[in-house]
Amino acid sequence: MRGWVAVAAATVLAVGGVTACGASDDPGKGGSGRSGASDGSGRKSGTDVTDSAEAEGSGLAAAMRDLSRVTSATGPVICWDDDDGKGEQVAAFDATFSKRVATYSEEPLLARLAEIAEEGDAERAFVRSLCGKPQYGKSAADLGVSPVSPDGRRVAVEVVTDEAGALTSSHVGWLDLTTGEFTDITEAAQKGGYSPETHSDGFPGFAPDGSLWFLRDEQVYYSADESGRLTRHPISKACHDERSGNDGFYRPVNSTAVTCPRLIHPSGKFAVSPGKIIDGIDSYDGFDLDLLAPHMDRLDDDTVFGDPTDQMIVRDGGDVRDCDPVAWINADDVLCEEASTFFTVRADASELGKKPDGPLAAEVKAEIAPETDNKILSVALSTDRQYLYIASKEVLDDGDIKLYRAGLTSPGRPEELGPLPQGVGDDFVLRGNFQTGDFQ
C-alpha cells in the first residue's frame, strides 16, 4: 500500500453508506399517516414487558447496558450494518484500535421494533444510527441529536406508517428499555372529529436535557418532554447551503434547531459552512461564518438571500487554499479538508457581524495529513480532540481498508494503525465526535 503520498485523489464515501438500525437511515417525508391503537396518551402497551426483570429477559436490559458502554467510551467508535439481519453493530476501541472496549448489537431491539410497527399497522420502525451518516458527498458523518437519551434508558424511534415511493409519513416516539413500553408522541397529537388534525413526524433524537426533538410535517421542529408536553422551536437561518436535501441532521442550541450540527462553534453563537468567496475578480472555496441568531419559523421561510454573513478566505503565506470545513477543533481552530488533504486554520471571528469590507482572512495553522492517492472513506475526531482518525483505501487496489491517526496538537505524518478490526463490515462509518458544546 502506497499510503500517504502527494497524488490528488477525490474524496469518496464508503460503498453503500450506513443504514440505520435495520432500515433506511432517513426515509423521505410527506402526507399524513395512520396509527395503531393508543390509550389516548400516545402510549402503546404492546407486549407484556412491564418491568425490568421481563425487559432483561427480552434482551432490552442487555442492550441498554451495552448502549451505555459504547456511548460513554472515550476511544474511537465504528458503526456498521450487519448483513445477516441483525441490524446495526457498534464497537468502541482503545485509542489505537488494538482492543475492543465495548460492543453493541441492535439485534435485541429488532423484535420489539417489529411489534411496534405491527401494532401501528405501519411499514416499519427503526432507530437512527449511533454514528450518523456522511452527508452531501463528504467523509464526515453528522450525528445531530442522539438516538439515545442522556440517561441511556430510552431510544428514539421513527415509525413509517405509510410508504409510497419517495413519499412517506411517520410517527415518532421513544422505546423505554427498562419496560419495553413505546410512547408514540405523534399519535397523542392527532385529533379527529369535525376538524381532524394529523401530522407526519420524523428524525427524532434526544437533546442533552433529555427532551425528544423531531421535525413535524417537514417544516417545524418540536420537542417533547418525558410527560409528552410539546414545545415548538425556532430554526436558525445559518448554514442554509448545508441543508441541501434536508437529511434531518440538526442540533438544539439554546432551544433553536440548527441544521449543520458538526459545524457549530463551541460558543453556540455561530456556525461555519462552505462558501464560494468572491474577492475582487477572483473566486475561492472558503467558508461562511453564519450567526445563529437570525431565526425563522418554518424551513420554507429560508432563502439563500437571507441575512448577510461574513466570509473567510484561507491564506497560506502568499497562496490561497481551498477549505471545506470539517469541524471546530476548539474555539479558535477549524479543521479543513482540501481534496484529500487535512489542515487547521486559525479563524478569528472577533469581527463577526461587524460587516467588514471584503472577506476576512484565516491563516493556515498546521498541516494535519498530506494529500494521498487513497480514497478517504470516513473521518472522526478523538473525544479529547487530540487526533484525527482516517479510514482509507487505495483507489486502484482491492486491498484492505486501513486506519490512520493524525495528531491535531502535535502534527506529523499520519500513523498507520492497521486494517479494519476483525468483524467490522466494509459498510461502516466512524463516529465523528464533532460536537464541542453541550448545547441545551
Side-chain angles (χ1 to χ4, degrees):
M1 181 174 182
R2 290 184 295 277
W4 296 96
V5 296
V7 178
T11 300
V12 298
L13 301 179
V15 176
V18 174
T19 56
C21 300
S24 168
D25 231 305
D26 295 290
K29 305 290 179 284
S32 297
R34 59 189 185 277
S35 60
S38 168
D39 64 4
S41 67
R43 297 180 183 272
K44 297 180 183 178
S45 58
T47 57
D48 295 328
V49 183
T50 55
D51 57 41
S52 297
E54 291 181 76
E56 184 170 0
S58 68
L60 297 184
M64 181 173 65
R65 177 201 64 210
D66 294 342
L67 274 173
S68 176
R69 289 175 178 173
V70 298
T71 55
S72 62
T74 59
V77 174
I78 298 182
C79 301
W80 70 97
D81 194 53
D82 186 87
D83 292 333
D84 296 329
K86 297 180 181 179
E88 181 169 77
Q89 309 297 304
V90 185
F93 295 85
D94 64 3
T96 61
F97 276 101
S98 59
K99 178 182 179 182
R100 292 196 189 207
V101 298
T103 59
Y104 163 75
S105 171
E106 190 196 13
E107 186 176 16
L109 271 63
L110 296 182
R112 183 68 187 107
L113 291 172
E115 290 173 352
I116 290 169
E118 183 178 1
E119 291 159 10
D121 191 22
E123 302 288 339
R124 65 184 187 276
F126 65 93
V127 178
R128 175 178 286 186
S129 169
L130 284 177
C131 293
K133 73 171 187 177
Q135 285 186 288
Y136 319 124
K138 297 179 180 178
S139 56
D142 287 349
L143 176 63
V145 284
S146 172
V148 184
S149 63
D151 62 6
R153 183 169 55 84
R154 296 173 291 158
V155 291
V157 177
E158 181 167 345
V159 183
V160 179
T161 58
D162 196 12
E163 189 169 27
L167 297 177
T168 67
S169 62
S170 55
H171 287 197
V172 299
W174 60 70
L175 172 63
D176 190 323
L177 298 177
T178 65
T179 66
E181 182 181 32
F182 174 62
T183 299
D184 189 329
I185 295 299
T186 308
E187 174 68 13
Q190 312 284 43
K191 295 180 181 178
Y194 180 74
S195 299
E197 180 178 309
T198 60
H199 297 287
S200 179
D201 297 332
F203 310 119
F206 292 98
D209 65 358
S211 60
L212 181 81
W213 283 58
F214 57 93
L215 178 63
R216 170 153 289 180
D217 300 326
E218 296 185 300
Q219 289 297 319
V220 181
Y221 287 95
Y222 278 85
S223 68
D225 63 18
E226 199 159 355
S227 70
R229 183 180 57 187
L230 297 183
T231 301
R232 181 169 172 167
H233 297 279
I235 306 166
S236 172
K237 281 191 170 185
C239 316
H240 52 75
D241 291 335
E242 283 292 286
R243 192 160 51 249
S244 174
N246 186 26
D247 283 339
F249 287 81
Y250 59 94
R251 176 160 284 123
V253 179
N254 300 325
S255 198
T256 298
V258 185
T259 56
C260 51
R262 64 185 164 85
L263 298 173
I264 302 168
H265 188 263
S267 68
K269 294 181 179 179
F270 62 94
V272 57
S273 61
K276 185 67 70 174
I277 313 301
I278 306 299
D279 187 19
I281 62 173
D282 297 317
S283 175
Y284 306 103
D285 288 328
F287 51 87
D288 297 332
L289 294 168
D290 296 343
L291 288 168
L292 303 189
H295 295 158
M296 55 191 175
D297 293 325
R298 300 166 55 85
L299 287 175
D300 277 352
D301 295 340
D302 189 22
T303 69
V304 294
F305 303 105
D307 294 317
T309 62
D310 289 336
Q311 296 183 314
M312 192 161 283
I313 294 175
V314 176
R315 299 194 179 277
D316 186 6
D319 297 327
V320 174
R321 299 276 294 271
D322 292 344
C323 171
D324 187 356
V326 176
W328 289 93
I329 302 300
N330 51 48
D332 299 312
D333 300 328
V334 178
L335 178 65
C336 292
E337 184 175 2
E338 179 187 30
S340 56
T341 301
F342 294 90
F343 59 94
T344 56
V345 301
R346 176 60 58 93
D348 181 6
S350 61
E351 299 299 311
L352 179 63
K354 296 182 181 180
K355 297 183 179 179
D357 294 329
L360 301 170
E363 294 291 335
V364 171
K365 180 178 179 181
E367 300 291 339
I368 303 301
E371 230 171 346
T372 176
D373 60 346
N374 296 347
K375 296 184 295 185
I376 307 299
L377 304 179
S378 187
V379 300
L381 302 181
S382 61
T383 53
D384 61 7
R385 308 191 113 60
Q386 298 295 304
Y387 297 103
L388 171 68
Y389 290 101
I390 304 170
S392 71
K393 185 175 182 178
E394 284 196 47
V395 176
L396 302 176
D397 197 324
D398 292 330
D400 292 335
I401 296 170
K402 292 194 175 182
L403 299 169
Y404 294 85
R405 187 176 68 172
L408 292 172
T409 57
S410 299
R413 200 162 187 82
E415 170 191 7
E416 183 177 319
L417 301 179
L420 275 180
Q422 186 175 6
V424 175
D426 288 349
D427 185 13
F428 74 96
V429 69
L430 298 172
R431 189 178 189 187
N433 298 320
F434 299 125
Q435 181 179 346
T436 57
D438 187 22
F439 305 119
Q440 298 288 334

